[in-house]
Amino acid sequence: MDFRLSDDERALVSEVRQFCERYFDEASVAQWRRDGGLPDEVVKAFVNLDFKGFGVIHRRGHEFYDLFAQVLVLEELSRASGAALPFHTDFLQLQILEAFASAGQTAPIREEYQKTGRLAFALAVSEPSAGSDTMGMKTAVSLRDDMLVLNGVKSFVNNGEYAPALLVAAIDEEASAESGEPALSLWLIPRDLEGIRVVPEDKIGQSMLPFASILFDNVVLDESYRLRGDAKGFSQLFKFFEFGRVFVCATALGQAQAAMEDAVRWAQTRSAFGAPIASFQQIQQMLTDMEVKLANMRNLVYQAAWEFDRGEHDRLTVAMMKRYVPATATEVASDAMQILGGRGYTSQERVSSIWQDCRGFQIAEGTDQIMVHIAAPLIMKKYENPDR
């Protein structure tokens, strides 16, 4: 399959690259890692990019997102910064909101995002005992004394400590199950409601994506908080998880590319035993294998996005991509650390942070093992016909 970029797509990447060159110098990115997020100036400048007419964020009457364009943007952002930035989560959460919420509920949040570059809510789906098993969630809304009450715990809520609102997925105990699935409801609720407790979660990577656990203890809800868009139920929510997998893989791909560029630069300038280490056969083999891995990762990510944009979404493509890309990006980052030697293991070089970030993507949006669980039955079905 030919994934050579069109002139318009190259112009899009060039625009994002110019944005990155303006803001993403190494010292600034390192400071943002320590601060746990991007400054207002940067996120405002990002949402005000033209994006060359592509549906990267909705405006100009866009009805559909261009997933391939979003992938190109995320890949370039993470390549230039060498970091897991919050934009891939913004892309996913906006699409979930727009599908599950009414136009009236969506409009003010989209306007705020376009004005400030900040999402006014954090998505709360995952739970301590129901991570990849989303339908196993225990957080629920029930009717008590004529009041809607929310109870449960959500984990790994990105920006949950700071966003003014929470988009919470919960079982609706007052509704009947459909097609064997529990009744799912989504609620957009103020974070400062009585009974909500937020606990920050420490992690080893992706420091610009601050996580929190959210505890809901008899939180009284207003019916107006319920999302009332066209999308309903777990099956449609799972569709958006597929988008999320493409986004994290595009980000991991860009970070692996950054690690590769750092490794090549180091190999060309670092000398040992009187010669550049790039002349050593072992280093040459490592760089060659890393480049092969990058090409394979890029093909898988681009294929998944290409299929989505053409209405040919294949769950097997996405599962194979998510199974392969983050793990392989971690390998590329690890090899880059090895090429840099002792310096690669220090915080002075970004390859160590890239390794941590990519390792996290082996868990986010469905673990490596869950991808096998999804892919294997699809592979069996694919080969049921021996003449195929």
Side-chain angles (χ1 to χ4, degrees):
M1 197 170 293
D2 185 359
F3 290 125
R4 284 177 293 186
L5 302 187
S6 68
D7 290 343
D8 289 341
E9 289 163 342
R10 283 195 294 269
L12 170 65
V13 173
S14 178
E15 181 190 33
V16 176
R17 184 165 298 169
Q18 291 173 27
F19 163 81
C20 295
E21 289 171 351
R22 179 177 178 184
Y23 291 104
F24 291 171
D25 61 273
E26 195 168 328
S28 294
V29 173
Q31 183 61 53
W32 301 338
R33 284 183 182 275
R34 292 190 291 270
D35 294 342
L38 295 172
D40 291 341
E41 178 189 10
V42 175
V43 294
K44 286 180 182 178
F46 176 75
V47 296
N48 286 324
L49 291 176
D50 178 70
F51 297 116
K52 301 304 178 184
F54 286 98
V56 174
I57 59 176
H58 270 183
R59 54 176 180 249
R60 301 193 191 93
H62 284 131
E63 294 183 9
F64 302 100
Y65 286 101
D66 297 317
L67 192 65
F68 193 83
Q70 291 179 310
V71 160
L72 294 177
V73 170
L74 293 173
E75 180 187 358
E76 181 59 25
L77 288 169
S78 55
R79 183 206 66 80
S81 65
L85 304 172
F87 300 116
H88 73 275
T89 62
D90 290 352
F91 287 179
L92 175 62
Q93 291 175 196
L94 274 172
Q95 293 189 48
I96 291 175
L97 175 74
E98 291 170 4
F100 282 86
S102 66
Q105 292 170 314
T106 301
I109 290 177
R110 279 180 54 178
E111 291 170 5
E112 180 72 10
Y113 181 67
Q114 185 62 62
K115 178 182 176 182
T116 67
R118 304 284 188 191
L119 270 187
F121 69 92
L123 180 66
V125 175
S126 186
E127 298 187 3
S129 58
S132 297
D133 180 18
T134 307
M135 281 198 293
M137 71 171 60
K138 303 300 183 186
T139 299
V141 175
S142 58
L143 193 62
R144 297 183 187 176
D145 300 324
D146 295 325
M147 294 186 298
L148 290 167
V149 179
L150 173 67
N151 282 284
V153 180
K154 295 295 183 180
S155 56
F156 310 121
V157 181
N158 178 48
N159 213 36
E161 188 180 2
Y162 306 105
L166 301 169
L167 200 168
V168 183
I171 301 300
D172 188 346
E173 294 188 344
E174 305 307 314
S176 301
E178 295 184 9
S179 303
E181 297 179 355
L184 176 70
S185 59
L186 276 79
W187 305 78
L188 188 63
I189 65 177
R191 185 173 53 83
D192 59 359
L193 288 181
E194 185 176 353
I196 296 178
R197 182 184 171 208
V198 180
V199 180
E201 293 184 7
D202 292 329
K203 57 187 189 308
I204 65 170
Q206 302 185 13
S207 55
M208 280 187 262
L209 304 175
F211 283 3
S213 290
I214 313 289
L215 291 75
F216 304 97
D217 183 12
N218 291 321
V219 179
V220 177
L221 303 180
D222 191 285
E223 182 62 34
S224 64
Y225 299 157
R226 187 192 297 267
L227 298 193
R228 297 189 176 278
D230 294 333
K232 308 287 183 184
F234 280 101
S235 59
Q236 290 186 285
L237 182 62
F238 292 159
K239 172 187 173 183
F240 288 95
F241 291 170
E242 299 273 278
F243 292 148
R245 288 163 187 162
V246 175
F247 292 154
V248 299
C249 286
T251 302
L253 167 62
Q255 289 195 263
Q257 184 66 57
M260 177 68 175
E261 293 172 7
D262 288 359
V264 170
R265 189 180 306 112
W266 182 266
Q268 291 174 330
T269 57
R270 172 68 169 176
S271 292
F273 307 104
I277 65 171
S279 66
F280 298 165
Q281 187 176 25
Q282 286 182 315
I283 300 297
Q284 292 173 351
Q285 182 174 340
M286 291 177 71
L287 292 173
T288 300
D289 290 345
M290 292 160 71
E291 187 69 8
V292 170
K293 291 174 181 178
L294 283 165
N296 289 336
M297 285 190 282
R298 186 166 288 108
N299 282 335
L300 280 169
V301 175
Y302 284 11
Q303 181 180 345
W306 184 88
E307 289 177 357
F308 266 117
D309 283 345
R310 284 156 182 76
E312 301 172 6
H313 165 230
D314 187 338
R315 290 190 71 214
L316 179 56
T317 300
V318 176
M320 291 191 303
M321 172 200 67
K322 182 60 174 62
R323 174 71 174 89
Y324 180 80
V325 171
T328 307
T330 304
E331 292 173 3
V332 170
S334 180
D335 286 345
M337 292 170 64
Q338 192 72 17
I339 291 171
L340 268 66
R343 189 173 178 88
Y345 196 63
T346 71
S347 58
Q348 293 176 289
E349 298 293 336
R350 64 181 184 173
V351 291
S352 59
S353 297
I354 290 172
W355 181 88
Q356 290 178 321
D357 289 354
C358 290
R359 185 62 183 83
F361 287 134
Q362 291 184 245
I363 301 168
E365 304 296 341
T367 66
D368 293 354
Q369 291 70 34
I370 288 296
M371 293 305 106
V372 173
H373 177 72
I374 293 171
L378 298 173
I379 293 170
M380 301 299 179
K381 184 176 181 180
K382 176 180 177 179
Y383 287 96
E384 280 178 359
N385 183 352
D387 297 327
R388 186 170 180 174

